[in-house]
Amino acid sequence: KSASRSSLPLCKLAFEDATHTMLRTLLIVEDQHDLAELVALHLADLAQRIHVCNDGTEALRIAASDPPDLVVLDLGLPGLDGLEVCRRLRARPRYVPILMLTSRSSEAERVLGLELGADDYLVKPFNVMELVARAKAIVRRMEALENSAGDSTVTNGALRIDPAARRVMLNGAQIALTAREFDLLLHFARHPGRVFSREQLLDTVWGGAHGGYAHTVNSHINRLRAKIESDAADPRWIQTVWGVGYRFASKGE
């Protein structure tokens, strides 16, 4: 098995025009050498530098010395596995988006990865064009969040959302949300009273990378309600508009 390594800086070439945001650093953590090289090749347009390594300990070392702007992380790593790498990255003060790669068929493993803070996941074998689409969707979403990082805290009743710190407080207690749950809640809270279809939410919050997967929205709505609503069957904030989609209650409702 090849040793862990870091690549030399990559040229931007003509790809820079294709993606508005150019990441400074991309970290790929994958123990299958050929797959790691394939991922690096197809994501070359996203970053000035790409680091590739094949174990979790080396991944954390690289992340500490050259903090990445996106991590593509395999769960099935030898030694320190991807879930633990994800957990430790999330424990650090600097937020970094994480796209998980997994060959595991267990839904529980994928849900655990998302609960630990991964932004998205792909199950092997995957289409490389979908990989590129999801990575670019994460980049666009993070760019939008960075552009609005100076926004003031969003409040609605006992619910308080801090975009810069990516923290949600309910009745003074912090609520643990996954990265996507946070993005979804923040999007709702910034547009109180407006009705969004599932397709609109997919396009805006997921960046269009999950086209056709309306059930993804449903599952995230259900998990959000379980965390912030006192009665998920009669929600105070995230309300269903039958036949259309969902809306976030306006202040005072």
Side-chain angles (χ1 to χ4, degrees), residues 38-235:
L38 181 68
V39 171
L41 175 65
H42 282 84
L43 296 183
D45 62 313
L46 288 182
Q48 295 171 321
R49 292 187 304 282
I50 297 182
H51 296 297
V52 179
C53 68
N54 61 14
D55 72 78
T57 301
E58 178 70 1
L60 292 174
R61 186 196 67 76
I62 293 173
S65 62
D66 188 11
D69 301 295
L70 174 64
V71 177
V72 179
L73 176 63
D74 179 31
L75 286 189
L77 298 171
L80 196 66
D81 67 15
L83 288 175
E84 183 59 27
V85 173
C86 182
R87 191 194 315 272
R88 296 190 188 187
L89 287 175
R90 279 292 166 265
R92 298 179 178 183
R94 181 179 183 274
Y95 187 88
V96 56
I98 298 172
L99 173 59
M100 296 189 314
L101 305 179
T102 175
S103 57
R104 299 174 182 175
S105 59
S106 171
E107 180 69 19
E109 291 288 351
R110 295 196 293 274
V111 170
L112 179 57
L114 294 172
E115 289 292 339
L116 288 175
D119 293 77
D120 204 352
Y121 72 87
L122 276 174
V123 178
K124 301 176 185 177
F126 52 81
N127 183 295
V128 291
M129 298 311 296
E130 183 175 7
L131 168 74
V132 172
R134 295 205 183 197
K136 288 184 176 181
I138 290 174
V139 171
R140 289 194 299 269
R141 190 165 66 250
M142 292 308 297
E143 181 188 40
L145 288 171
E146 287 174 2
N147 289 339
S148 62
D151 289 358
S152 59
T153 299
V154 181
T155 59
N156 189 308
L159 190 64
R160 184 179 178 88
I161 306 170
D162 184 342
R166 294 182 67 84
R167 181 180 297 116
V168 175
M169 307 294 290
L170 179 60
N171 294 315
Q174 185 168 342
I175 304 298
L177 299 181
T178 68
R180 190 60 56 79
E181 288 168 357
F182 179 89
D183 292 344
L184 181 60
L185 179 60
L186 181 60
H187 179 68
F188 270 131
R190 281 177 168 162
H191 303 89
R194 179 176 171 182
V195 180
F196 292 96
S197 69
R198 293 170 180 81
E199 290 73 20
Q200 287 174 322
L201 292 171
L202 279 171
D203 184 62
T204 304
V205 180
W206 277 258
H210 291 66
Y213 293 90
H215 67 275
T216 300
V217 175
N218 297 346
S219 62
H220 278 77
I221 294 290
N222 291 338
R223 287 200 293 269
L224 260 179
R225 283 174 170 168
K227 293 179 179 182
I228 69 171
E229 303 283 3
S230 57
D231 182 0
D234 184 20

Side-chain angles (χ1 to χ4, degrees), residues 4-24:
S4 300
R5 68 171 184 81
S6 296
S7 71
L8 294 174
L10 297 178
C11 296
K12 297 183 183 180
L13 302 178
F15 293 114
E16 189 169 5
D17 293 335
T19 305
H20 182 65
T21 298
M22 194 74 178
L23 300 176
R24 293 180 300 276

